[in-house]
Amino acid sequence: PRVKNIVILISGTGSNMAAIVQAAHQQRWQERLGVRVSAVISNKPNASGLDWLRSDATFSGIQTEVLEHSQFESREAFDGALMQRIDQHAPDLVVLAGFMRILTPGFVQHYDQRLLNIHPSLLPLYPGLHTYERALTDGCPEHGSTVHFVTAELDGGPRIAQVRVPVVGGDSVES
């Protein structure tokens, strides 16, 4: 049987990407499940997540690429080029792990039911940016993360999983 490929998109530190890559390695996803992370693509050349991935020989089989969104005249042009790059890896799943771009409807449709996002809030609460600040300002007793399918509605796709953590006195955005 063919190995199923995961392509991960990042824009920065790639902490969620690193967690996925490490879990795939430690839990031997390819041998046990027939699933592998085949590529990590960033829209920013200085994304430290790419440096982390490239610095560890354990992960040398994962291709890293940069496709700078600022080099394109439109969101549609960037998304078209990004789809071509992603499709070179024959992805069964595309994971947005801190990928800080709103994607066009055409992109979302192209990966329908194969496009996941990791969002730092308990959706439907706090879609978009600055979720920690907003939860603290509102005095929420808990916060967390949501994995969901991506649809044309920003952070509005069907939820797959959520993890909750308590907000305790003295918590800050950093903690």
Side-chain angles (χ1 to χ4, degrees):
R2 181 179 77 76
V3 173
K4 294 187 187 303
N5 291 316
I6 299 172
V7 174
I8 301 174
L9 306 182
I10 66 171
S11 291
T13 60
S15 57
N16 285 323
M17 173 272 301
I20 294 167
V21 165
Q22 289 171 328
H25 174 72
Q26 292 166 355
Q27 298 168 16
R28 299 179 23 251
W29 288 4
Q30 188 163 344
E31 296 84 9
R32 290 180 43 250
L33 306 172
V35 174
R36 70 179 178 145
V37 177
S38 58
V40 174
I41 302 172
S42 177
N43 63 314
K44 295 188 175 183
N46 59 349
S48 59
L50 293 178
D51 295 334
W52 173 84
L53 191 59
R54 292 170 178 152
S55 71
D56 192 328
T58 306
F59 309 124
S60 63
I62 300 173
Q63 293 183 34
T64 59
E65 300 180 37
V66 173
L67 185 67
E68 290 185 70
H69 66 271
S70 61
Q71 301 299 307
F72 293 84
E73 292 183 16
S74 69
R75 189 173 296 278
E76 290 76 15
F78 171 73
D79 282 7
L82 182 58
M83 283 189 288
Q84 288 180 343
R85 286 280 180 96
I86 292 169
D87 287 350
Q88 290 175 353
H89 302 283
D92 296 280
L93 192 63
V94 178
V95 178
L96 309 177
F99 188 67
M100 305 305 290
R101 300 275 305 163
I102 294 175
L103 298 164
T104 59
F107 185 98
V108 172
Q109 182 59 41
H110 184 74
Y111 297 107
D112 185 44
Q113 300 297 307
R114 297 185 294 150
L115 185 59
L116 302 182
N117 184 40
I118 303 168
H119 183 75
S121 82
L122 297 172
L123 291 173
L125 296 174
Y126 308 115
L129 301 174
H130 311 295
T131 65
Y132 304 118
E133 295 93 331
R134 291 158 57 199
L136 288 171
T137 299
D138 290 350
C140 291
E142 63 182 5
H143 198 55
S145 290
T146 303
V147 177
H148 67 94
F149 284 105
V150 176
T151 62
E153 179 187 353
L154 178 67
D155 294 329
R159 294 184 295 281
I160 298 166
Q162 287 187 318
V163 175
R164 297 171 182 272
V165 293
V167 175
V168 297
D171 268 349
S172 66
V173 171
E174 292 76 25
S175 64

